[in-house]
Amino acid sequence: MKINEEFEHTCTECQKDEDTSGERLSHHDDKTIKELVTRMNRIEGQLRGIKGMIERHVYCDDVLNQISSAQSALDGVARLLLEKHMKSCVKEQLQNGEIEVVDEVLKTIFRMRR
């Protein structure tokens, strides 16, 4: 899966870790990866719970509240990932004079705000 294919990959740190498919890879530390995976596992459990609620015909308002909670949790993962991205790849690219990364990040932030 390629994300933001219209942007040329320029992060030299990420580029070192590029696999043979040409897919861009992150270079986050193990602690960050573990935190993101833990949060995603929790969200995955929430989604399974919501599915079960729907199958059991749980009252709609209760299901909607759980959906809202799961969306909020996903937003938290996105904010953490954006923060780490800004402090790593984006910072490095700006230091290298690659200002086009600003357009990429802005596009991502605007998409997240929808």
Side-chain angles (χ1 to χ4, degrees), residues 68-83:
S68 177
S69 176
Q71 286 173 330
S72 179
L74 272 174
D75 288 343
V77 170
R79 282 190 305 271
L80 175 62
L81 193 53
L82 178 61
E83 176 188 349

Side-chain angles (χ1 to χ4, degrees), residues 1-3 5 21 23-24:
M1 174 175 79
K2 298 218 182 207
I3 299 173
E5 287 181 333
S21 71
E23 187 173 328
R24 297 193 285 178

Side-chain angles (χ1 to χ4, degrees), residues 90-98:
V90 174
K91 178 182 174 184
E92 180 180 321
Q93 289 178 64
L94 288 173
Q95 288 171 338
N96 291 335
E98 301 166 13

Side-chain angles (χ1 to χ4, degrees), residues 33-48 70 73-78 81:
I33 297 296
K34 184 177 180 180
E35 183 177 357
L36 290 167
V37 169
T38 298
R39 287 181 179 208
M40 291 304 298
N41 286 340
R42 193 174 306 124
I43 293 166
E44 186 178 19
Q46 282 182 291
L47 295 178
R48 281 193 306 272
L74 272 174
D75 288 343
V77 170
L81 193 53

